[in-house]
PDB file of all heavy atoms in Angstrom:
ATOM      1  N   LEU A 428      -4.921   7.087  10.970  1.00  0.00           N
ATOM      2  CA  LEU A 428      -5.554   8.280  11.550  1.00  0.00           C
ATOM      3  C   LEU A 428      -5.305   9.477  10.648  1.00  0.00           C
ATOM      4  O   LEU A 428      -4.183   9.680  10.181  1.00  0.00           O
ATOM      5  CB  LEU A 428      -4.913   8.524  12.923  1.00  0.00           C
ATOM      6  CG  LEU A 428      -5.489   9.599  13.816  1.00  0.00           C
ATOM      7  CD1 LEU A 428      -6.952   9.353  14.082  1.00  0.00           C
ATOM      8  CD2 LEU A 428      -4.730   9.623  15.136  1.00  0.00           C
ATOM      9  N   SER A 429      -6.347  10.283  10.407  1.00  0.00           N
ATOM     10  CA  SER A 429      -6.137  11.381   9.478  1.00  0.00           C
ATOM     11  C   SER A 429      -5.355  12.506  10.155  1.00  0.00           C
ATOM     12  O   SER A 429      -5.344  12.647  11.376  1.00  0.00           O
ATOM     13  CB  SER A 429      -7.458  11.871   8.885  1.00  0.00           C
ATOM     14  OG  SER A 429      -8.074  12.760   9.766  1.00  0.00           O
ATOM     15  N   LYS A 430      -4.694  13.301   9.302  1.00  0.00           N
ATOM     16  CA  LYS A 430      -3.704  14.256   9.807  1.00  0.00           C
ATOM     17  C   LYS A 430      -4.314  15.418  10.575  1.00  0.00           C
ATOM     18  O   LYS A 430      -3.626  16.112  11.306  1.00  0.00           O
ATOM     19  CB  LYS A 430      -2.861  14.799   8.647  1.00  0.00           C
ATOM     20  CG  LYS A 430      -2.014  13.730   7.959  1.00  0.00           C
ATOM     21  CD  LYS A 430      -0.720  13.472   8.710  1.00  0.00           C
ATOM     22  CE  LYS A 430       0.159  12.458   7.970  1.00  0.00           C
ATOM     23  NZ  LYS A 430       1.333  12.053   8.750  1.00  0.00           N
ATOM     24  N   ASP A 431      -5.611  15.659  10.371  1.00  0.00           N
ATOM     25  CA  ASP A 431      -6.185  16.826  11.045  1.00  0.00           C
ATOM     26  C   ASP A 431      -6.693  16.493  12.445  1.00  0.00           C
ATOM     27  O   ASP A 431      -7.384  17.282  13.073  1.00  0.00           O
ATOM     28  CB  ASP A 431      -7.289  17.451  10.183  1.00  0.00           C
ATOM     29  CG  ASP A 431      -8.377  16.441   9.854  1.00  0.00           C
ATOM     30  OD1 ASP A 431      -8.294  15.291  10.353  1.00  0.00           O
ATOM     31  OD2 ASP A 431      -9.297  16.788   9.102  1.00  0.00           O
ATOM     32  N   ILE A 432      -6.379  15.316  12.919  1.00  0.00           N
ATOM     33  CA  ILE A 432      -6.858  14.966  14.262  1.00  0.00           C
ATOM     34  C   ILE A 432      -5.847  15.349  15.336  1.00  0.00           C
ATOM     35  O   ILE A 432      -4.641  15.165  15.168  1.00  0.00           O
ATOM     36  CB  ILE A 432      -7.242  13.476  14.301  1.00  0.00           C
ATOM     37  CG1 ILE A 432      -8.525  13.338  13.485  1.00  0.00           C
ATOM     38  CG2 ILE A 432      -7.386  12.977  15.737  1.00  0.00           C
ATOM     39  CD1 ILE A 432      -9.398  12.222  13.792  1.00  0.00           C
ATOM     40  N   ASN A 433      -6.368  15.913  16.394  1.00  0.00           N
ATOM     41  CA  ASN A 433      -5.550  16.351  17.519  1.00  0.00           C
ATOM     42  C   ASN A 433      -5.151  15.116  18.352  1.00  0.00           C
ATOM     43  O   ASN A 433      -5.977  14.557  19.080  1.00  0.00           O
ATOM     44  CB  ASN A 433      -6.379  17.339  18.343  1.00  0.00           C
ATOM     45  CG  ASN A 433      -5.609  17.897  19.523  1.00  0.00           C
ATOM     46  OD1 ASN A 433      -4.742  17.232  20.089  1.00  0.00           O
ATOM     47  ND2 ASN A 433      -5.922  19.120  19.893  1.00  0.00           N
ATOM     48  N   ILE A 434      -3.899  14.706  18.213  1.00  0.00           N
ATOM     49  CA  ILE A 434      -3.490  13.450  18.849  1.00  0.00           C
ATOM     50  C   ILE A 434      -3.553  13.495  20.381  1.00  0.00           C
ATOM     51  O   ILE A 434      -4.132  12.603  20.990  1.00  0.00           O
ATOM     52  CB  ILE A 434      -2.087  13.001  18.353  1.00  0.00           C
ATOM     53  CG1 ILE A 434      -2.185  12.586  16.883  1.00  0.00           C
ATOM     54  CG2 ILE A 434      -1.567  11.826  19.188  1.00  0.00           C
ATOM     55  CD1 ILE A 434      -0.893  12.063  16.299  1.00  0.00           C
ATOM     56  N   PRO A 435      -2.962  14.518  21.024  1.00  0.00           N
ATOM     57  CA  PRO A 435      -3.012  14.492  22.499  1.00  0.00           C
ATOM     58  C   PRO A 435      -4.441  14.460  23.038  1.00  0.00           C
ATOM     59  O   PRO A 435      -4.739  13.701  23.968  1.00  0.00           O
ATOM     60  CB  PRO A 435      -2.308  15.794  22.894  1.00  0.00           C
ATOM     61  CG  PRO A 435      -1.426  16.117  21.746  1.00  0.00           C
ATOM     62  CD  PRO A 435      -2.132  15.629  20.525  1.00  0.00           C
ATOM     63  N   LYS A 436      -5.313  15.238  22.417  1.00  0.00           N
ATOM     64  CA  LYS A 436      -6.691  15.290  22.903  1.00  0.00           C
ATOM     65  C   LYS A 436      -7.383  13.940  22.693  1.00  0.00           C
ATOM     66  O   LYS A 436      -8.041  13.411  23.594  1.00  0.00           O
ATOM     67  CB  LYS A 436      -7.435  16.397  22.149  1.00  0.00           C
ATOM     68  CG  LYS A 436      -8.810  16.649  22.690  1.00  0.00           C
ATOM     69  CD  LYS A 436      -9.391  17.927  22.086  1.00  0.00           C
ATOM     70  CE  LYS A 436     -10.906  17.791  21.971  1.00  0.00           C
ATOM     71  NZ  LYS A 436     -11.441  18.598  20.878  1.00  0.00           N
ATOM     72  N   THR A 437      -7.203  13.383  21.499  1.00  0.00           N
ATOM     73  CA  THR A 437      -7.840  12.103  21.203  1.00  0.00           C
ATOM     74  C   THR A 437      -7.304  11.008  22.122  1.00  0.00           C
ATOM     75  O   THR A 437      -8.051  10.174  22.619  1.00  0.00           O
ATOM     76  CB  THR A 437      -7.582  11.730  19.732  1.00  0.00           C
ATOM     77  OG1 THR A 437      -7.851  12.877  18.936  1.00  0.00           O
ATOM     78  CG2 THR A 437      -8.487  10.609  19.292  1.00  0.00           C
ATOM     79  N   ALA A 438      -5.989  11.036  22.342  1.00  0.00           N
ATOM     80  CA  ALA A 438      -5.393  10.027  23.225  1.00  0.00           C
ATOM     81  C   ALA A 438      -5.973  10.155  24.629  1.00  0.00           C
ATOM     82  O   ALA A 438      -6.261   9.144  25.285  1.00  0.00           O
ATOM     83  CB  ALA A 438      -3.872  10.194  23.265  1.00  0.00           C
ATOM     84  N   ALA A 439      -6.157  11.396  25.079  1.00  0.00           N
ATOM     85  CA  ALA A 439      -6.718  11.590  26.418  1.00  0.00           C
ATOM     86  C   ALA A 439      -8.131  11.018  26.479  1.00  0.00           C
ATOM     87  O   ALA A 439      -8.519  10.386  27.467  1.00  0.00           O
ATOM     88  CB  ALA A 439      -6.725  13.078  26.769  1.00  0.00           C
ATOM     89  N   GLN A 440      -8.893  11.221  25.399  1.00  0.00           N
ATOM     90  CA  GLN A 440     -10.254  10.683  25.391  1.00  0.00           C
ATOM     91  C   GLN A 440     -10.255   9.163  25.438  1.00  0.00           C
ATOM     92  O   GLN A 440     -11.016   8.544  26.182  1.00  0.00           O
ATOM     93  CB  GLN A 440     -11.009  11.176  24.143  1.00  0.00           C
ATOM     94  CG  GLN A 440     -11.379  12.647  24.255  1.00  0.00           C
ATOM     95  CD  GLN A 440     -11.762  13.266  22.923  1.00  0.00           C
ATOM     96  OE1 GLN A 440     -11.346  12.816  21.853  1.00  0.00           O
ATOM     97  NE2 GLN A 440     -12.553  14.329  22.976  1.00  0.00           N
TER      98      GLN A 440
END
Side-chain angles (χ1 to χ4, degrees):
L428 187 57
S429 83
K430 296 278 183 188
D431 57 3
I432 289 205
N433 182 329
I434 291 183
K436 187 169 148 208
T437 313
Q440 287 164 334

